[in-house]
Amino acid sequence: MVDLDWKNLSFGYRKTDYNVRCYYRNGKWGEIELCSEETITLNMAATCLHYGQEAFEGLKAYRCPDGKVRVFRPDENAARLQATCQGILMPEMPTEKFIEMVDLVVRLNERFIPPYESGATLYIRPLLIGTSAQVGVHPSDEYMFLIFVTPVGPYFKGGFATNPYVIIREYDRSAPLGTGIYKVGGNYAASLKANKIAHDLGYSCEFYLDAKEKKFIDECGAANFFGIKNNTYVTPKSTSILPSITNKSLMQLAKDLGMKVECRQIAEEELATFEEAGACGTAAVISPIERIDDLDTKTSYVFSKDGKPGPVCTKLYQKLINIQYGIEEDIHGWTHVVIE
Ligand SMILES: *Cc1c(COP(=O)(O)O)cnc(C)c1O
């Protein structure tokens, strides 16, 4: 294992030993290549640079107490990348090849997988870009798919905790029929200003309403939303939010715990009725929401009066991380063992 201060890693990029790459040329994917270079050579007219033909994914490898290394639902990341590819006209990477490359890059960088006790994990970042030189707007002929990994610190340094969020109306991250349902960099470019405003005001993250009517809850900057009330897990249905694999998993776990699950529009005013709320995604699993402020209407929707995570958020969080770390039985077959 490399000598790193595992307990104090941030969510940043750190060079590791290898990345894996695969090129799409003449209508087909080539062989998987190992690479120890952290740079890529690209034509300055590549479509990814000018016309946003770029898609990414994010997942993690967990060093577990039983000594194995597990990855959580990589088949779901492969499927979502395929959906993104259909959305912005890029060739789909087959699931088997995607998982083969995930396994390879994790094994090749085993010495960078943080120890279990540190709470840190190995973040896995697949990236697919159009590489043909073009100035006209049409899809690239050639593509590069690569996966790199980097060790990242635990999301909650001082333990599982709540955070404040703020509704931003001045900017939308995605249009109702736009690319919000795809994991593309352009959505993040569109979110940077709102994100900066939220941070400058002291909030953890910005919250988006639906772009068309500004009436319904969409999602946070890079995480889905859910609210809890009357033993029910409620999460927004929208054409402009990214389908989170964490959210999909939490919906199943909520059912397993005997809760009802509703995926439907959530009007902003309904926020006042939730007993608990959370933001969910791979990075934090669940980031329990302390409150959501609407500065325009001077309304504050409070989900935690004492600043502590609620019982349902805590139970769902524990259950999901216990499955990810191989501590609790994985009845849904979600984990994929990469190193025995
Ligand atoms: C990646 C992402 C999420 C979270 O998805 P997970 O699969 O749970 O990690 C949520 N919203 C946006 C905008 C994202 O890009």
Side-chain angles (χ1 to χ4, degrees):
M1 208 177 280
V2 285
D3 185 23
L4 286 177
D5 184 7
W6 300 111
K7 284 204 167 63
N8 294 304
L9 290 176
S10 62
F11 197 86
Y13 172 79
R14 179 182 297 271
K15 187 182 189 303
T16 56
D17 291 333
Y18 294 99
N19 56 84
V20 292
R21 303 180 180 196
C22 186
Y23 297 89
Y24 184 88
R25 294 188 188 111
N26 303 316
K28 57 178 193 297
W29 289 105
E31 296 298 314
I32 297 168
E33 299 174 18
L34 311 188
C35 185
S36 52
E37 268 298 317
E38 54 183 333
T39 56
I40 56 179
T41 302
L42 202 58
N43 191 293
M44 61 188 172
T47 64
C48 62
L49 298 177
H50 299 262
Y51 304 128
Q53 265 201 312
E54 182 270 356
F56 69 99
E57 274 301 328
L59 61 165
K60 285 173 171 175
Y62 307 82
R63 197 185 284 281
C64 304
D66 64 3
K68 296 182 184 179
V69 175
R70 289 176 174 82
V71 170
F72 188 68
R73 306 188 83 174
D75 53 324
E76 287 287 336
N77 292 93
R80 187 169 65 190
L81 180 61
Q82 289 154 9
T84 297
C85 288
Q86 289 174 13
I88 60 167
L89 300 185
M90 305 202 290
E92 292 171 36
M93 169 56 64
T95 301
E96 309 74 64
K97 196 158 201 162
F98 180 96
I99 294 177
E100 189 184 342
M101 288 176 73
V102 167
D103 289 356
L104 194 58
V105 75
V106 170
R107 288 184 191 130
L108 286 167
N109 293 291
E110 174 160 16
R111 65 195 196 103
F112 288 93
I113 308 172
Y116 169 66
E117 297 74 25
S118 67
T121 52
L122 188 72
Y123 184 72
I124 305 167
R125 170 52 63 88
L127 175 74
L128 174 53
I129 54 174
T131 53
S132 299
Q134 277 170 203
V135 285
V137 181
H138 49 97
S140 179
D141 296 322
E142 298 189 346
Y143 293 83
M144 176 186 200
F145 177 66
L146 67 81
I147 309 182
F148 69 79
V149 294
T150 191
V152 295
Y155 192 86
F156 297 107
K157 289 235 165 57
F160 189 51
T162 64
N163 288 296
Y165 291 72
V166 64
I167 291 172
I168 302 277
R169 284 192 181 72
E170 294 95 312
Y171 304 101
D172 296 314
R173 69 173 276 285
S174 70
L177 301 176
T179 55
I181 53 173
Y182 308 126
K183 211 165 174 78
V184 297
N187 297 334
Y188 281 82
S191 76
L192 291 176
K193 280 174 94 169
N195 187 256
K196 182 175 186 321
I197 293 171
H199 282 152
D200 287 351
L201 291 170
Y203 292 96
S204 162
C205 195
E206 77 281 15
F207 228 95
Y208 296 97
L209 300 176
D210 76 286
K212 196 172 182 178
E213 297 185 78
K214 304 266 180 191
K215 246 175 96 174
F216 303 102
I217 298 300
D218 247 10
E219 65 175 323
C220 329
N224 279 186
F225 171 82
F226 67 84
I228 304 289
K229 64 175 174 187
N230 310 326
N231 199 35
T232 308
Y233 180 104
V234 190
T235 192
K237 188 183 177 78
S238 161
T239 58
S240 50
I241 62 182
L242 198 277
S244 154
I245 296 161
T246 311
N247 196 7
K248 186 175 177 177
S249 308
L250 291 172
M251 284 190 250
Q252 181 61 53
L253 295 181
K255 278 185 202 153
D256 295 351
L257 289 170
M259 297 174 68
K260 272 189 285 177
V261 173
E262 293 173 5
C263 183
R264 56 165 171 81
Q265 286 188 312
I266 301 174
E268 184 192 328
E269 303 73 56
E270 192 182 344
L271 289 178
T273 68
F274 291 118
E275 297 148 16
E276 293 179 41
C280 62
T282 296
V285 181
I286 291 175
S287 177
I289 301 177
E290 184 212 326
R291 62 174 206 278
I292 301 176
D293 289 347
D294 185 336
L295 302 177
D296 300 310
T297 63
K298 306 217 167 18
T299 313
S300 199
Y301 303 99
V302 180
F303 307 106
S304 170
K305 291 201 176 59
D306 56 3
K308 295 204 187 86
V312 179
C313 282
T314 306
K315 209 191 307 179
L316 287 169
Y317 172 78
Q318 270 308 332
K319 200 160 172 72
L320 187 50
I321 65 165
N322 283 348
I323 293 171
Q324 290 170 333
Y325 280 100
I327 295 167
E328 191 162 322
E329 198 195 345
D330 177 17
I331 60 166
H332 300 291
W334 286 340
T335 60
H336 169 68
V337 175
V338 181
I339 300 173
E340 284 285 350

